[in-house]
Amino acid sequence: MQTIWLSGAEWLAVLRIGLGLWWLESWRHKDRKGWFERGTGIAWAADVAGKHRWGVVRSGFRRVVEPRPKVMAYLVVYAELALGLGLVTGFLTPVALVAGLLLNLLYLVLMIHDWAEQGQNAMMALISLVALFAMAWQTWSLDAAFGLFL
């Protein structure tokens, strides 16, 4: 593989780190006080799920998320932080990539009608797949330093 400036593995590390920074920005701009104290994030998602055209989304949300809104708020917010930190540092990278892919797919399905969100979630999912299958933790990562997943 020929590349300009960096090696192929280094470009994949740049892609992985960029994805991690994207997750950290998702975490940074969240109104955590609103999510944790007023339940705004889960309430918004409940409204979206309640109007969803797919019954499985409506019933799944009612069964899994609505009974535990506080736990789910913390889970979503801190999952985004953990994904960002894991991908930027390259620690447990395959785990972070799979978890991020699943979270993006959940967001994609929940917000199937919101075209503004679709591009972001589709691109983040694509980057996760590329980084996972290209093993983007081989360079500039704690996983490589510790000899994990090689």
Side-chain angles (χ1 to χ4, degrees):
M1 169 190 293
Q2 292 184 357
T3 63
I4 297 172
W5 192 39
L6 301 172
S7 72
E10 289 169 336
W11 279 119
L12 287 168
V14 168
L15 189 65
R16 182 200 82 230
I17 292 165
L19 180 60
L21 292 172
W22 202 341
W23 278 116
L24 287 175
E25 177 57 20
S26 292
W27 172 79
R28 187 197 67 78
H29 83 261
K30 278 203 175 19
D31 174 10
R32 286 179 287 284
K33 191 172 187 173
W35 272 72
F36 300 150
E37 294 177 16
R38 297 186 311 276
T40 56
I42 299 302
W44 170 82
D47 183 56
V48 172
K51 298 173 186 171
H52 207 282
R53 72 173 83 161
W54 299 341
V56 67
V57 173
R58 289 190 308 272
S59 63
F61 195 91
R62 275 193 302 261
R63 202 170 309 133
V64 176
V65 180
E66 280 185 14
R68 45 193 81 76
K70 196 95 153 160
V71 170
M72 290 297 163
Y74 278 93
L75 183 67
V76 167
V77 171
Y78 287 111
E80 291 182 356
L81 175 62
L83 289 169
L85 292 174
L87 292 170
V88 167
T89 63
F91 183 63
L92 301 177
T93 310
V95 176
L97 289 168
V98 169
L101 176 62
L102 292 174
L103 190 55
N104 278 127
L105 292 176
L106 283 171
Y107 289 171
L108 192 71
V109 169
L110 177 64
M111 296 179 278
I112 201 80
H113 309 301
D114 187 345
W115 292 105
E117 289 289 330
Q118 294 301 11
Q120 173 178 315
N121 288 304
M123 288 303 99
M124 290 176 80
L126 177 61
I127 293 167
S128 293
L129 274 177
V130 169
L132 181 64
F133 291 130
M135 298 171 57
W137 53 88
Q138 297 176 68
T139 302
W140 301 342
S141 72
L142 292 174
D143 290 339
F146 296 145
L148 301 174
F149 309 111
L150 299 178

